[in-house]
Amino acid sequence: MSKVSIEGMHLVRDGKPFFWLADTIWTAFTNPTDDEWIAYLDQRAAQGFNVLQINALAQWDRAQAAFDRYPYQTPDHGKTFDFTKPDASYWEHARWQLAEATKRGFTPAIVVQWCNYVPNTWASNMMPDNIIPDGLVEPVVKQILQSFNEFDPIYIISGDTDFDHEEPIERYMLVTDLVERYAPDALKCYHIKGRYDGLPECLAERADIYLYQSGHNISAQAGAYDLARSFAARPKRKPIINSEPCYEQMGYSHMVYGRFRREDCRRALWLSLMGGASAGVTYGAHGVWNWETGVLEGGFAFGEGFLKALPHEQGIHFAGAWDFSFARTVAERLGLLELEPAQEMLASRADDVFAARTADGTTLCIYVPTNATLRLKGDLTQAHLHALDVAEHESLPLAAEYDAERDETLIQQSSCLEDALYIAEL
């Protein structure tokens, strides 16, 4: 398994552009049976996923499993841990899981310390029983790195974290120091809480990749685009990835009635890329990230409060995963891994349609959420124009005519029934 590296604003593996297409499987090490794990890997590999986002420790809002498999000894079935007593069988089993994953071409993206393990975060203030004491941070981090370094992971140092107080900043500075000491060649990044861009500069300057989370609040879905622009405005430019857009069939946060559907997730995907978060994207299926069995009680997500998940056996087959797979195919085939917004090209519908161009200026992409005629500035009739139906994964012809009086190109509506990506190869 070769390492992922960075060239400019995108990732590379084996000398080829690498589009981070991750699946969220935070509970991988605690919840799936061995047969379920192999079936899961085979399914996602067949769909073209190449990164797995996994929590090294037990996910605090996981679904209940029918068995106990935990990283440290626990007197109460995983509610609290004795961080002085690692369970060797857990770490050995996790290594087996990663060996099976890397054989199938996956790069692990391992969260080192989710926010519930860190003092004075939103999650640890709700459930403070498993905050790792300062004196045990190094042995815990060292256990993670020594267990997983051989699989060439990307280390996600924080998980779902806010940095509104000094304690989490200090803790994650320490964890970053330890990762750099014990895994000096690994890429590092920070998974932060939803609808948030408050990554302190002292940590941002040490990140190799900017991750953000547009999240699961129905009123904040514009963040898929807006947060990408916020990270692009940071003092140092780096690859940007929406590492947690809305999950398919996740209930709207705070127990608001409704669930995100396939088309919602696809819109978040393309808004992210059009906003410049085009080094990759992450998919999530409610019921898979937390490995819902649908049998035992207590399998709902805590935190923001979501509707109960459907069983993982159903979630792994949600159709939206194929939309994300299609996005990877398109991005790698057309070289769309370093996009910059180009709203100035839109002569109509600029509030609802999203345009971006490649860094070399040779390709213009326009995400059209609803099929309609569109006007672009300038004469594009000499460009190679075509549409991609991002719901049906088909290529469609586009008709265009130049209006010399207005210096605009009129793009006729395509035949697609949902959203589309218009491509102009200049």
Side-chain angles (χ1 to χ4, degrees):
M1 184 67 186
S2 58
K3 294 173 70 68
V4 174
S5 58
I6 293 174
E7 286 187 8
M9 296 287 291
H10 69 275
L11 307 178
V12 172
R13 190 172 74 185
D14 294 329
K16 300 177 182 178
F18 177 83
F19 183 86
W20 166 306
L21 180 60
D23 190 38
T24 308
I25 181 71
W26 302 128
T27 53
F29 294 156
T30 57
N31 284 45
T33 67
D34 292 356
D35 288 344
E36 289 170 346
W37 180 243
I38 295 300
Y40 165 81
L41 293 176
D42 288 344
Q43 169 76 1
R44 290 295 188 244
Q47 292 174 310
F49 285 80
N50 54 18
V51 176
L52 300 177
Q53 293 179 194
I54 300 172
N55 194 344
L57 305 178
Q59 182 73 23
W60 75 305
D61 49 0
R62 65 194 176 276
Q64 288 187 354
F67 52 84
D68 284 351
R69 185 195 298 139
Y70 295 121
Y72 294 90
Q73 291 187 20
T74 171
D76 46 20
H77 304 286
K79 294 179 181 177
T80 58
F81 297 109
D82 183 344
F83 293 105
T84 67
K85 297 177 180 178
D87 188 324
S89 64
Y90 172 92
W91 299 100
E92 189 58 35
H93 189 269
R95 286 169 51 79
W96 170 79
Q97 290 180 277
L98 291 188
E100 291 296 323
T102 54
K103 279 197 301 188
R104 291 163 173 81
F106 290 103
T107 292
I110 305 293
V111 176
V112 180
Q113 211 158 110
W114 203 269
C115 64
N116 64 295
Y117 294 103
V118 173
N120 209 4
T121 68
W122 70 270
S124 63
N125 287 334
M126 291 176 61
M127 297 184 68
D129 291 343
N130 274 322
I131 296 173
I132 299 173
D134 291 345
L136 295 179
V137 172
E138 180 167 354
V140 169
V141 173
K142 190 175 179 181
Q143 174 79 58
I144 294 168
L145 305 184
Q146 291 183 340
S147 297
F148 302 145
N149 278 350
E150 73 170 272
F151 302 105
D152 291 327
I154 296 168
Y155 283 116
I156 306 177
I157 290 172
S158 64
D160 210 19
T161 305
D162 59 296
F163 300 93
D164 299 333
H165 305 283
E166 285 301 315
E167 295 95 326
I169 297 174
E170 292 173 357
R171 170 62 60 87
Y172 285 117
M173 286 289 284
L174 171 59
V175 175
T176 304
D177 290 341
L178 294 169
V179 171
E180 290 179 349
R181 183 188 310 168
Y182 294 112
D185 298 326
L187 295 181
K188 307 180 299 301
C189 45
Y190 302 87
H191 180 273
I192 61 179
K193 74 174 184 178
R195 312 179 301 281
Y196 183 80
D197 59 1
L199 181 66
E201 192 57 34
C202 62
L203 295 173
E205 65 185 10
R206 302 176 75 175
D208 298 299
I209 306 164
Y210 292 137
L211 303 185
Y212 70 91
Q213 177 190 168
S214 58
H216 317 288
N217 188 305
I218 187 59
S219 66
Q221 290 305 296
Y225 186 90
D226 295 340
L227 289 168
R229 300 314 307 140
S230 176
F231 277 93
R234 288 268 177 166
K236 186 171 183 180
R237 300 293 302 278
K238 299 178 183 182
I240 306 170
I241 295 169
N242 188 350
S243 63
E244 193 171 330
C246 54
Y247 291 167
E248 191 167 3
Q249 288 299 314
M250 177 75 95
Y252 304 154
S253 64
H254 303 293
M255 297 306 294
V256 173
Y257 181 70
R259 293 181 187 269
F260 291 102
R261 302 182 185 184
R262 174 184 180 181
E263 56 268 29
D264 301 312
C265 301
R266 188 171 62 243
R267 178 183 172 88
L269 150 68
W270 286 107
L271 260 61
S272 302
L273 270 60
M274 294 297 103
S278 53
V281 72
T282 298
Y283 171 75
H286 196 31
V288 174
W289 71 270
N290 56 338
W291 212 254
E292 177 62 67
T293 64
V295 176
L296 299 176
E297 291 300 318
F300 67 93
F302 300 106
E304 292 192 65
F306 304 112
L307 297 177
K308 185 175 175 66
L310 296 167
H312 66 85
E313 296 95 338
Q314 187 174 358
I316 196 174
H317 295 291
F318 290 161
W322 290 103
D323 294 336
F324 282 66
S325 175
F326 182 66
R328 177 192 169 188
T329 299
V330 170
E332 291 185 343
R333 182 175 298 164
L334 298 180
L336 308 183
L337 281 74
E338 294 193 14
L339 292 175
E340 291 286 347
Q343 293 297 92
E344 71 278 2
M345 292 296 297
L346 300 174
S348 66
R349 309 188 191 280
D351 292 335
D352 304 304
V353 172
F354 299 87
R357 60 165 57 91
T358 54
D360 62 7
T362 60
T363 304
L364 177 68
C365 308
I366 305 157
Y367 175 62
V368 184
T370 299
N371 189 15
T373 57
L374 181 66
R375 286 184 174 272
L376 303 177
K377 294 179 182 178
D379 183 0
L380 297 180
T381 54
Q382 300 305 307
H384 174 55
L385 291 167
H386 59 105
L388 296 173
D389 185 329
V390 294
E392 297 297 327
H393 310 161
E394 296 176 345
S395 181
L396 305 170
L398 272 183
E401 59 186 71
Y402 179 57
D403 183 338
E405 182 177 347
R406 301 173 67 170
D407 189 27
E408 293 176 356
T409 299
L410 176 66
I411 307 290
Q412 301 290 351
Q413 68 182 32
S414 68
S415 60
C416 71
L417 301 181
E418 298 186 57
D419 45 349
L421 188 71
Y422 293 174
I423 304 292
E425 296 178 75
L426 306 175

